[in-house]
């Protein structure tokens, strides 16, 4: 979370504090939904877990990549993440890596570590999101430390297989 | 990463110690940001540890079928030091400082893995943050799951962590409503 984002949040919170004093009717409150979202967005558990993961990934990738040869291209870096980093952090290599050569990579892990103690199948797919926020953050942090800003999202169709989508921002 | 660590990782039950301590450090940072009061963070860590402990007790007993039923504090301390702490933290521990007729003792965890790769600012420690309180909470939770009520607090001591444990009572199974003993 950036300092700037924090500032916006604090301002929104203050403003909401003033407005909340004056509001009596619940319909009045509805006008300010956007403001409320801005002020309290940080409390979302997934966002917080992602932030925690980001910091972990940033540091961890430095430790893992210490002895590796120089990584030059984007593909090399993503491959490094999928092989060395993945096995150092999640205990195994990925099962499948695909790309459209335009900055989108899809990484598939058929037995992802944080979902291993879930019963297999589709029953708990909905509640698995929270368990994937941290690894998503870790991957984003690792890529960020290797100088690739990206958006990482995870999708689950059937536990414990997970598809991570790494969407790499185009270099300006 | 050393060769040894890599071999350990091949065993799916073991995981990277770095991931563990970095994640924990990051969690504490986030808690400090959330609660803004180191004392409150210590309390939250204790609570989290307690919840982990009640589950870990099951896991521990399932994996270590050779652990006998404990009848006194000396035995509890021995199981904690010889089995439980090496199993989950991968480091050794010793019990000492027995007082109050064996009802109070200290466990010293050598080279606490949670303290690796982190530096806790002294001003936070002075303000009441007990960084490894999660371990104390876990011990309290695990013992409560096997019906021993104890009080536990963690203290930092260089690379080692001391956990002071005071035995309170043996909990009884809840009797069904309407039945007194």
């Amino acid at each position: 979370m950036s300092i700037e984002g924090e500032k916006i949040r604090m301002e929104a919170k203050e403003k909401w504090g003033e407005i909340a004093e004056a509001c009596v009717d619940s319909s009045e409150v509805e006008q300010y939904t956007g403001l409320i979202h801005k002020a309290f967005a940080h409390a979302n558990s997934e966002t917080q877990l992602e932030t925690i993961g980001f910091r972990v990934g940033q540091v961890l990738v430095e430790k893992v990549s210490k002895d590796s040869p120089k990584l030059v291209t984007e593909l090399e870096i993503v491959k490094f993440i999928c092989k060395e980093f993945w096995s150092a952090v999640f205990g195994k290599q990925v099962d499948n890596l695909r790309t459209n050569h335009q900055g989108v990579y899809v990484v598939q892990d058929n037995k992802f570590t944080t979902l291993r103690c879930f019963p297999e199948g589709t029953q708990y797919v909905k509640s698995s999101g929270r368990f994937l926020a941290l690894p998503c953050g870790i991957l984003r942090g690792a890529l960020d430390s290797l100088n690739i800003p990206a958006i990482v999202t995870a999708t689950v169709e059937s536990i414990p297989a997970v598809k991570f989508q790494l969407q790499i921002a185009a270099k300006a | 990463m050393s060769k040894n660590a890599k071999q350990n990782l091949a065993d799916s039950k073991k995981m990277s110690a770095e991931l563990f301590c970095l994640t924990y450090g990051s969690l504490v940072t986030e808690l400090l940001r959330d609660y803004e009061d180191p004392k409150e963070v210590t309390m939250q860590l204790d609570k989290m540890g307690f919840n982990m402990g009640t589950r870990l007790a099951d896991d521990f007993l399932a994996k270590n079928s050779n652990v006998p039923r404990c009848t006194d504090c000396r035995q509890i301390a021995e199981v904690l030091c010889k089995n439980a702490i090496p199993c989950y933290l991968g480091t050794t521990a010793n019990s000492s400082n027995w007082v109050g007729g064996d009802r109070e003792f200290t466990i010293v965890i050598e080279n606490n893995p949670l303290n690796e790769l982190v530096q806790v600012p002294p001003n936070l420690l002075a303000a009441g943050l007990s960084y490894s309180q999660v371990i104390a909470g876990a011990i309290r939770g695990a013992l409560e799951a096997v019906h021993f009520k104890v009080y536990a607090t963690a203290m930092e001591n260089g690379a080692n962590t001391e956990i002071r444990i005071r035995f309170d009572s043996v909990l009884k199974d809840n009797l069904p409503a309407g039945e007194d003993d």
Side-chain angles (χ1 to χ4, degrees), chain A residues 1 6 42 48 51-53 55-56 59-60 63-64 66-67 84 87-91 116 134 138, chain B residues 1 6 9-10 12-16 18-19 22-31 33-34 36 117:
Chain A
M1 210 185 300
E6 194 89 324
H42 73 297
Q48 272 182 310
T51 318
I52 292 177
R55 232 172 288 145
V56 174
V59 182
L60 209 53
K63 284 202 82 94
V64 180
K66 202 172 52 189
D67 302 321
E84 278 85 356
S87 55
V89 178
F90 304 126
R116 246 174 244 166
L134 183 87
I138 292 178
Chain B
M1 189 180 285
K6 243 181 200 156
L9 271 183
S12 69
K13 294 270 156 51
K14 295 231 162 94
M15 65 175 299
S16 145
E18 283 143 13
L19 175 67
L22 283 175
T23 311
Y24 182 67
S26 216
L27 171 79
V28 175
T29 317
E30 193 70 23
L31 283 176
R33 196 204 290 259
D34 245 22
E36 293 167 0
L117 312 173

Side-chain angles (χ1 to χ4, degrees), chain A residues 91-148:
Chain A
K92 68 188 276 289
Q93 286 191 11
V94 300
D95 295 295
N96 195 342
L97 169 64
R98 271 177 299 172
T99 175
N100 68 351
H101 296 288
Q102 280 165 4
V104 177
Y105 294 82
V106 177
V107 183
Q108 191 175 342
D109 191 330
N110 289 334
K111 208 166 182 222
F112 192 65
T113 175
T114 55
L115 299 184
R116 246 174 244 166
C117 38
F118 275 68
E120 290 183 15
T122 51
Q123 193 185 355
Y124 291 102
V125 165
K126 267 192 186 151
S127 40
S128 66
R130 229 166 255 183
F131 293 80
L132 294 168
L134 183 87
C136 278
I138 292 178
L139 291 174
R140 191 166 68 88
L143 287 166
D144 190 84
S145 255
L146 296 172
N147 205 14
I148 298 188

